[in-house]
Amino acid sequence: MEKVYIAGIGQTAVGELWKRSLESLSNEAIQGALKEAGKPEVDALYAGNLLASAASSQANLGVKIATNSGLDGIETMTTEAGEASGAAALRLGYLAVRSGYVRTALVVGVEKYTDIVGSSVENVISQTMDYDFEAMQGLTPLGQAGLLMARYLDSYHPPREALGALPILAHANAINNPYAMYRRAISTDAYHKAGLVCDPLNLYDAAPYADGAAALLITSDEKLSQTAEKAPIEITASTSTIDALALHDRPDALAFSAVTISVQKALARAGVSWSEIDLFELWDAYSIFGILSVEACGLAAHGEGWRWLAEDDHSPKGRLPLVTMGGNKARGFPLGAAGVYQAVEAVQQLRGEAGANQVDGAKTAMIQAMGGPASNVITHIFSKL
Amino acid sequence: MEIPRHWRLQKQRYGLVGEICPHCSAKIFPARDVCPECGGEAKEPFRFSGKGSIYSYTVMNNAPVGFERGLPYTIALVKLDEGPTVTAQLTDLGANKVEIGMPVQMVTRRIKEDGDERGMLIYGYKFRPVMG
């Protein structure tokens, strides 16, 4: 099997980008990645996206994107795995290149949620849940997170404000990310006083939906990876695991068992242990997801994830840095594109291009995306050569 | 409008009808083709008692289209006495303070308005506190 290298990255600023289209955002990210890799011949483009079919009435998005960027005659398809759609596109690209059938591919994550307005946005995003038995009861993804947080608080009785550690860290890190949506810090006090959106979940517990595109140029071509403008990064693990789509169909809703399986497989595949992971771009769509994730990863015992996040140092200078460029919470949460943003940010860290947020000597990074509340978990490990 | 899919789910929505596995006797809701407990084929209907307790709950302050009329509403994960958990709105709360562990029972209520003022009204299960 071929080794898979990342030879170029590109991203757009994240935000409410009313004036931009799916294809123009994609092209900005694609051109960034192609330029870094020395504009090589591309065999395939895999597009990760969640909302375009419903929000922009556009299916077969990969073709639209590729054609707009002048990539005629290549292979393309679009992946959908809920909010993990971008990570799924990366996994598909990884499988294609690793198999040897595709030599060089673009992986593009793109989202344009502002193509619709009003409360129908909630209907579209609620399609990630079990439609007949969750969405049809009036639940939304925000509500799912509220249900998880309420159960967590009742089960383990952490101090309520301690659950703000991850959003506060994300905002602190986003200050130094020029692509981030919210480049300002939030205080513990501001977190504590934030309005409830789905009691007990408050405004700062939820990552803001956003538009944006990010791209990776991946290849098995060692020569290309060496002649590229930047030092190549190898993808050393790629895993994908599911849990029940509906929260109510799981034996223990707080277990996030797909995270456990996905991470164990990824560590084994890459042949590393947690002590060798220099940074972890975890999935902070909601603060409670981050807490349950670190517990499911085995980084903290069940019921202790909030303490591990609040009391240990997870800044870029800390023991295990998290959400180093602001995470979904403060970089902004471009849904089906977010998994590719995570990959781009991990590459920035491994190349030593993360500026004020640089993790010293970072050699190995883990990124993890979730569709729904860990209904679909995709984990990748990258290593600097 | 989504008339065929709502019609298809009538029994499940109105009567909380799931399944009992003919192989391992597990009670299943919602109905599915393969038993989650034993992996055998599941097909025998089973009507749940509608009694259960609250596993978790939250309050929705923003709603998708079709649910705005009920705002704000409380939605819960209800653990049914027979085993499975369902997602459903709570209703008839009155002065009751909702708590995790609280016993509830199923009632049939209007769930959603599908389409405009000429659209279909969709009924189904909600849960209310057990009286007395």
Side-chain angles (χ1 to χ4, degrees):
Chain A
M1 283 193 285
E2 305 290 335
K3 290 193 169 187
V4 185
Y5 306 100
I6 300 174
I9 57 173
Q11 61 182 320
T12 73
V14 176
E16 293 188 350
L17 310 173
W18 302 96
K19 292 180 179 172
R20 302 292 299 276
S21 67
L22 282 160
E23 61 273 22
S24 100
L25 288 170
S26 299
N27 185 60
E28 186 181 334
I30 287 169
Q31 296 307 333
L34 285 175
K35 182 163 176 282
E36 280 194 356
K39 307 224 168 188
E41 190 178 327
V42 172
D43 306 308
L45 182 152
Y46 303 109
N49 170 269
L50 173 58
L51 299 180
S53 285
S56 312
S57 302
Q58 183 63 62
N60 214 350
L61 181 63
V63 178
K64 176 102 174 170
I65 290 170
T67 308
N68 178 62
S69 291
L71 298 162
D72 298 313
I74 65 164
E75 164 185 337
T76 181
M77 57 189 82
T78 308
T79 59
E80 190 273 297
E83 298 89 334
S85 295
L90 174 55
R91 173 147 172 85
L92 182 59
Y94 170 85
L95 294 174
V97 173
R98 188 147 170 80
S99 73
Y101 281 106
V102 170
R103 193 166 172 84
T104 299
L106 277 161
V107 172
V108 183
V110 62
E111 205 62 81
K112 188 68 187 67
Y113 99 106
T114 57
D115 269 0
I116 45 172
V117 291
S119 45
S120 54
V121 174
E122 288 299 321
N123 294 64
V124 168
I125 290 169
S126 293
Q127 292 178 0
T128 57
M129 305 186 299
D130 185 317
Y131 183 79
D132 286 333
F133 295 97
E134 289 184 307
M136 268 307 299
Q137 304 301 322
L139 190 64
T140 62
L142 201 64
Q144 282 183 319
L147 289 169
L148 288 171
M149 187 183 266
R151 182 69 192 187
Y152 190 86
L153 288 168
D154 188 76
S155 298
Y156 301 119
H157 306 288
R160 176 63 187 83
E161 64 275 14
L163 273 56
L166 193 55
I168 290 167
L169 172 67
H171 273 265
N173 288 344
I175 292 171
N176 298 314
N177 179 0
Y179 298 96
M181 186 170 179
Y182 293 123
R183 300 183 65 187
R184 54 186 160 75
I186 56 171
S187 64
T188 306
D189 192 47
Y191 173 80
H192 200 45
K193 286 179 180 159
L196 294 175
V197 289
C198 270
D199 189 6
L201 193 100
N202 77 34
L203 188 65
Y204 286 134
D205 288 310
Y209 299 145
D211 304 326
L216 307 167
L217 192 287
I218 61 173
T219 183
S220 58
D221 185 344
E222 256 181 90
K223 222 165 72 189
L224 168 64
S225 72
Q226 284 155 8
T227 53
E229 203 177 296
K230 313 282 184 176
I233 304 299
E234 186 183 348
I235 303 175
T236 51
S238 170
T239 69
S240 176
T241 310
I242 61 162
D243 200 343
L245 189 58
L247 272 184
H248 59 236
D249 280 335
R250 303 179 188 182
D252 178 1
L254 299 181
F256 272 26
S257 56
V259 169
T260 309
I261 298 166
S262 179
V263 163
Q264 282 172 353
K265 279 186 185 169
L267 291 171
R269 191 70 53 83
V272 296
S273 63
W274 270 114
S275 63
E276 293 163 89
I277 302 290
D278 299 312
L279 62 121
F280 179 26
E281 295 297 334
L282 57 67
W283 193 252
D284 63 336
Y286 304 96
S287 57
I288 185 67
F289 283 19
I291 292 166
L292 296 177
S293 169
V294 300
E295 293 179 5
C297 283
L299 293 165
H302 286 287
E304 293 290 322
W306 66 271
R307 194 191 303 276
W308 185 85
L309 286 167
E311 295 179 5
D312 286 11
D313 182 2
H314 299 293
S315 75
K317 307 295 170 207
R319 209 149 47 103
L320 181 54
L322 306 171
V323 294
T324 63
M325 301 306 277
N328 290 326
K329 175 66 195 80
R331 173 237 296 127
F333 185 24
L335 300 158
V340 184
Y341 273 94
Q342 290 180 307
V344 164
E345 290 156 1
V347 170
Q348 289 179 304
Q349 287 287 0
L350 297 175
R351 286 175 175 173
E353 293 175 352
N357 289 1
Q358 183 60 48
V359 174
D360 288 338
K363 288 195 180 73
T364 304
M366 181 187 285
I367 61 174
Q368 181 172 80
M370 287 183 200
S375 305
N376 197 330
V377 178
I378 301 177
T379 307
H380 286 92
I381 297 176
F382 299 166
S383 290
K384 182 155 78 175
L385 294 179
Chain B
M1 297 245 278
E2 302 171 313
I3 290 169
R5 87 184 288 170
H6 296 311
W7 175 79
R8 190 167 73 228
L9 291 167
Q10 269 184 49
K11 278 188 184 162
Q12 308 201 16
R13 292 240 179 86
Y14 297 169
L16 213 60
V17 175
E19 289 167 329
I20 180 165
C21 175
H23 311 284
C24 75
S25 300
K27 314 287 199 316
I28 305 162
F29 191 92
R32 67 193 73 192
D33 294 319
V34 175
C35 172
E37 299 294 328
C38 75
E41 188 187 3
K43 57 186 173 187
E44 211 171 296
F46 176 84
R47 183 185 286 265
F48 282 78
S49 67
K51 292 190 170 63
S53 61
I54 293 176
Y55 175 85
S56 191
Y57 69 96
T58 189
V59 179
M60 302 294 299
N61 293 299
N62 287 294
V65 173
F67 293 92
E68 301 97 325
R69 202 171 151 271
L71 281 173
Y73 52 89
T74 304
I75 196 158
L77 292 171
V78 175
K79 176 109 174 115
L80 300 173
D81 286 354
E82 295 91 344
T85 302
V86 296
T87 300
Q89 288 185 29
L90 300 182
T91 188
D92 304 359
L93 288 171
N96 286 283
K97 190 182 175 312
V98 182
E99 281 177 1
I100 287 174
M102 188 170 101
V104 290
Q105 63 190 38
M106 179 238 176
V107 290
T108 304
R109 291 285 188 274
R110 182 189 297 186
I111 301 284
K112 187 189 176 192
E113 289 146 30
D114 190 17
D116 57 18
E117 67 276 8
R118 295 183 306 281
M120 184 173 51
L121 300 178
I122 297 156
Y123 288 81
Y125 50 80
K126 291 188 182 180
F127 285 78
R128 71 177 180 201
V130 172
M131 304 298 171

